[in-house]
Amino acid sequence: ILMKINKIIGLFVICGLLAGTAPDAAAQEPTPTPQPPKDWQVRGVLAAFNDELPGVQYLAVEKALELGITDPFRDKIPKIISLLNIDKNHRSAAKLLGRLGERVSPQHLPELIRLATESNSSSSIQIQAILALGEIGAYAKAAVPQLIELLPDKKWYVREAAVRALGKIGAPAVPDLISLLAETNSDEIR
């Protein structure tokens, strides 16, 4: 019996050693640095984005996100915002808008704010528009009052998205949030 116990203990020790060395070996492997997209990839993504079919446009946005292609989309922001209205496309369009960040000019924010505050639109479109405003960051400070109005919304996921967006907008949202805290007695908002 003692020999069987020693064999079992030996197996546990070997397994422990193997388990202990596997993460170290993986941690020592260098992580490949992402390569910038090739010109033909950028041209292909833009050609697909200019296609008339929303499904092809969606795939182009997905590939642009995967390859880190944002610069060529600066002048296509209105079209990206229009993709937010298509259920299948809205998540990718919101992510791309977020990656464009400061390049989303204030003239484009009203449509995004409308989608974020429109309660009769699809919930997922509304959420993605709210999150896109957050991803744009401090450059979306014009949306802060409307996002604050969403904090007492009936739907918890709208409230959560608004909180996340306000957090990502950061410092420009602080004065309005301080005012809100001073004016409200609502525990949910606090």
Side-chain angles (χ1 to χ4, degrees):
I1 295 178
L2 194 54
M3 284 181 60
K4 286 185 181 181
I5 293 174
N6 282 339
K7 284 183 182 179
I8 293 173
I9 291 174
L11 286 174
F12 278 121
V13 169
I14 291 171
C15 289
L17 289 174
L18 289 175
T21 58
D24 290 4
Q28 292 175 1
E29 291 180 22
T31 308
T33 56
Q35 299 297 316
K38 309 261 188 282
D39 287 341
W40 65 267
Q41 291 172 312
V42 173
R43 287 192 309 272
V45 166
L46 287 173
F49 185 75
N50 290 324
D51 193 274
E52 62 187 43
L53 297 173
V56 176
Q57 295 167 358
Y58 162 75
L59 293 173
V61 170
E62 283 290 307
K63 188 52 90 172
L65 290 168
E66 179 186 320
L67 296 173
I69 300 170
T70 55
D71 286 341
F73 287 94
R74 284 185 295 206
D75 60 339
K76 302 188 181 331
I77 290 170
K79 188 171 181 179
I80 297 168
I81 290 173
S82 73
L83 289 177
L84 285 170
N85 288 307
I86 302 170
D87 264 339
K88 183 178 180 182
N89 299 342
H90 59 270
R91 284 190 182 93
S92 299
K95 285 181 192 174
L96 184 56
L97 285 169
R99 293 225 182 127
L100 288 167
E102 66 187 56
R103 292 172 249 170
V104 177
S105 70
Q107 73 186 31
H108 299 114
L109 289 178
E111 177 63 10
L112 206 47
I113 292 169
R114 183 189 67 75
L115 289 169
T117 57
E118 203 171 68
S119 60
N120 63 348
S121 67
S122 161
S123 291
S124 58
I125 291 173
Q126 182 182 20
I127 297 302
Q128 292 308 313
I130 293 168
L131 295 175
L133 288 167
E135 290 299 323
I136 292 167
Y139 300 100
K141 67 182 177 182
V144 169
Q146 291 85 350
L147 290 171
I148 286 176
E149 288 177 16
L150 294 174
L151 293 177
D153 196 276
K154 293 179 214 168
K155 298 175 224 132
W156 67 268
Y157 47 87
V158 171
R159 294 191 307 267
E160 180 183 351
V163 167
R164 287 178 186 272
L166 288 165
K168 287 188 173 190
I169 290 172
V174 171
D176 290 339
L177 289 170
I178 290 172
S179 297
L180 175 68
L181 285 173
E183 295 170 5
T184 187
N185 293 327
S186 170
D187 288 336
E188 272 191 3
I189 292 177
R190 289 180 174 250

